[in-house]
Amino acid sequence: MSEKSDQTKILVTGAAGFIGFHLVKKLLNLDYEVVGIDNINDYYDIDLKYDRLKELGIDRKAAENFHEKVQSKHQLGFTFIRVNLEDRGYLPKLFAENNFEQVCNLAAQAGVRYSIKNPEAYVDSNVVGFLNLLECCRNHKIKHLIYASSSSVYGQNEKVPFSVEDNVDHPVSLYAATKKSNELMAHTYSHLYDIKTTGLRFFTVYGPWGRPDMAMFLFTDAMVKKKPIKVFNNGDLERDFTYIDDIVEGIIKIIQPENENSKARYSLYNIGNSKPVKLMDFIREIERQLGVEAQMDMYPMQPGDVNRTWADVESLKEDFGYNPNTPVSTGVKNFIEWFRKYYT
Ligand SMILES: NC(=O)c1ccc[n+]([C@@H]2O[C@H](COP(=O)([O-])OP(=O)(O)OC[C@H]3O[C@@H](n4cnc5c(N)ncnc54)[C@H](O)[C@@H]3O)[C@@H](O)[C@H]2O)c1
């Protein structure tokens, strides 16, 4: 089956973020026309966000200005605009000026721990921002809205692997509560206005250009600097670490309608590797590849955190032929190679 599109125009929100950047890159390789938006918030180092945009041919000076349309220098099909999803005045204009066929919403206030101290940021970006986007999708007859949810909606679910059939009424962080809210809001809009929506519950995504607030980055950074790493719950945690290329492949399959086996208007899928890794084994793999022994400071379980995640991805395999196949050893190697190159 051909991966080429007929120049379908797609809006990607969170385009300066980790997953958004990789998705835009792949879409451009497949000849899609892409408009990327992001508010470039300072939750983590904004230089990393601007450097991702630079990779996509976007000039920083121009991209710093809100609402300025910045054309990529080396990708004809890519325009970036700094926009806040909460901006109820500008978003409808953006949709009116562009004939988007599909929207992929990756913009959000991410991170579990930060939501304990900054709950407002989560409601603003993830609930108010998402509502604004839904309204635009409704008013501009968008064919398909794909949006990021999270494995955190499972809370302390004990049954493994986690299935979209499991009860998710017990989030343990406000971040998780806003992601669950997105799923409910999408359901309402699919039902009331016949908008096709697909929610994706991402499971601990890692890889080159990854987020500085996540374990892969924090551990590597500390170990390279010969500083101690913080290990929560005394290391007794498991995560379904999922490599960025597998995530992007999965999203692309969902964007390409010819791949789909299900005609549902409202859909929800897990997107993970489905092979959980013990945190201590993950640390050992980083040690092995860096050639550095980690100094570990042990901490108790953190509020809002969960003990383990494990995605059941059978329905995504069945409906779209999703096939994650990057082993952790390869993913860690690729991350470390990028990290060394970027920070030296
Ligand atoms: N990375 C993971 O492991 C993971 C796991 C589960 C869910 N997710 C979800 O996937 C999506 C992408 O995550 P990521 O890892 O790329 O995070 P990221 O923080 O790198 O990217 C999100 C981007 O959205 C932008 N943004 C935030 N609020 C905005 C707003 N109100 N308006 C416009 N832009 C805004 C940020 O500036 C950032 O660049 C998020 O929705 C996140 O919650 C990620």
Side-chain angles (χ1 to χ4, degrees):
M1 196 175 296
S2 157
E3 278 200 312
K4 286 270 172 198
S5 73
D6 300 321
Q7 280 287 343
T8 309
K9 200 170 192 181
I10 299 192
L11 173 68
V12 176
T13 76
F18 169 41
I19 302 174
F21 156 71
H22 283 282
L23 177 66
V24 170
K25 213 168 159 191
K26 179 75 184 182
L27 285 170
L28 294 173
N29 283 342
L30 296 173
D31 281 347
Y32 282 88
E33 198 183 338
V34 182
V35 174
I37 62 172
D38 201 297
N39 67 356
I40 324 265
N41 70 23
D42 63 0
Y43 167 59
Y44 62 78
D45 183 13
I46 61 167
D47 289 345
L48 182 60
K49 295 185 181 183
Y50 282 115
D51 283 343
R52 291 181 186 131
L53 290 176
K54 193 172 155 198
E55 283 280 303
L56 299 170
I58 298 297
D59 174 61
R60 176 169 183 159
K61 271 263 151 292
E64 280 174 347
N65 303 321
F66 276 95
H67 304 173
E68 181 167 335
K69 298 180 188 77
V70 189
Q71 168 67 51
S72 166
K73 284 184 189 146
H74 50 73
Q75 296 276 6
L76 263 185
F78 184 50
T79 308
F80 176 79
I81 312 167
R82 189 172 185 193
V83 182
N84 239 314
L85 281 188
E86 296 95 299
D87 190 338
R88 208 168 278 165
Y90 186 79
L91 265 197
K93 276 192 217 151
L94 179 73
F95 275 74
E97 282 171 11
N98 293 277
N99 197 11
F100 298 127
E101 194 167 77
Q102 302 196 53
V103 172
C104 187
N105 182 45
L106 298 171
Q109 179 56 59
V112 168
R113 291 182 194 128
Y114 187 74
S115 73
I116 307 292
K117 288 197 176 135
N118 299 279
E120 294 85 359
Y122 290 77
V123 172
D124 293 347
S125 290
N126 304 4
V127 180
V128 176
F130 191 64
L131 174 66
N132 293 344
L133 207 57
L134 283 170
E135 275 293 293
C136 289
C137 290
R138 167 195 171 192
N139 291 328
H140 294 274
K141 309 268 176 292
I142 298 304
K143 279 200 184 138
H144 192 185
L145 166 67
I146 297 153
Y147 63 95
S149 183
S150 161
S151 61
S152 63
V153 300
Y154 290 104
Q156 293 290 21
N157 197 24
E158 284 183 356
K159 183 200 135 273
V160 287
F162 297 172
S163 155
V164 287
E165 308 298 329
D166 296 346
N167 180 298
V168 288
D169 286 338
H170 304 96
V172 296
S173 68
L174 191 75
Y175 169 67
T178 62
K179 290 294 179 180
K180 163 81 179 169
S181 308
N182 288 171
E183 296 174 358
L184 296 171
M185 292 160 80
H187 187 276
T188 310
Y189 272 66
S190 287
H191 172 76
L192 286 178
Y193 309 115
D194 199 31
I195 300 171
K196 182 172 170 58
T197 64
T198 303
L200 295 174
R201 292 177 176 169
F202 292 115
F203 281 66
T204 319
V205 190
Y206 75 104
W209 297 94
R211 267 172 40 201
D213 62 324
M214 293 185 70
M216 175 81 255
F217 193 113
L218 291 168
F219 291 164
T220 305
D221 188 45
M223 283 158 74
V224 164
K225 293 175 180 157
K226 307 273 191 284
K227 287 186 175 165
I229 62 172
K230 285 185 182 172
V231 179
F232 297 117
N233 204 32
N234 296 308
D236 187 16
L237 296 172
E238 270 181 57
R239 289 289 178 271
D240 196 356
F241 290 102
T242 310
Y243 190 62
I244 183 67
D245 289 1
D246 291 327
I247 289 282
V248 170
E249 282 299 322
I251 303 173
I252 294 286
K253 283 180 190 294
I254 292 163
I255 285 173
Q256 294 172 325
E258 66 273 19
N259 290 327
E260 197 187 7
N261 277 331
S262 150
K263 294 287 164 236
R265 302 306 284 162
Y266 171 82
S267 311
L268 192 58
Y269 294 95
N270 287 331
I271 182 162
N273 199 39
S274 204
K275 289 191 187 75
V277 177
K278 288 190 170 48
L279 186 66
M280 295 309 289
D281 291 341
F282 192 65
I283 294 170
R284 299 288 170 232
E285 188 57 39
I286 302 173
E287 283 183 318
R288 194 176 71 79
Q289 301 219 23
L290 275 179
V292 173
E293 198 179 321
Q295 305 164 45
M296 293 183 229
D297 284 351
M298 296 300 185
Y299 286 82
M301 189 70 174
Q302 296 295 290
D305 226 342
V306 300
N307 291 73
R308 106 165 134 170
T309 63
W310 178 356
D312 176 341
V313 294
E314 286 313 305
S315 55
L316 197 55
K317 284 184 174 175
E318 261 168 45
D319 290 351
F320 291 95
Y322 172 66
N323 178 31
N325 55 15
T326 311
V328 163
S329 54
T330 308
V332 167
K333 178 172 158 282
N334 293 349
F335 175 82
I336 290 174
E337 265 173 28
W338 166 79
F339 186 91
R340 286 205 155 118
K341 209 166 133 203
Y342 184 73
Y343 286 102
T344 49

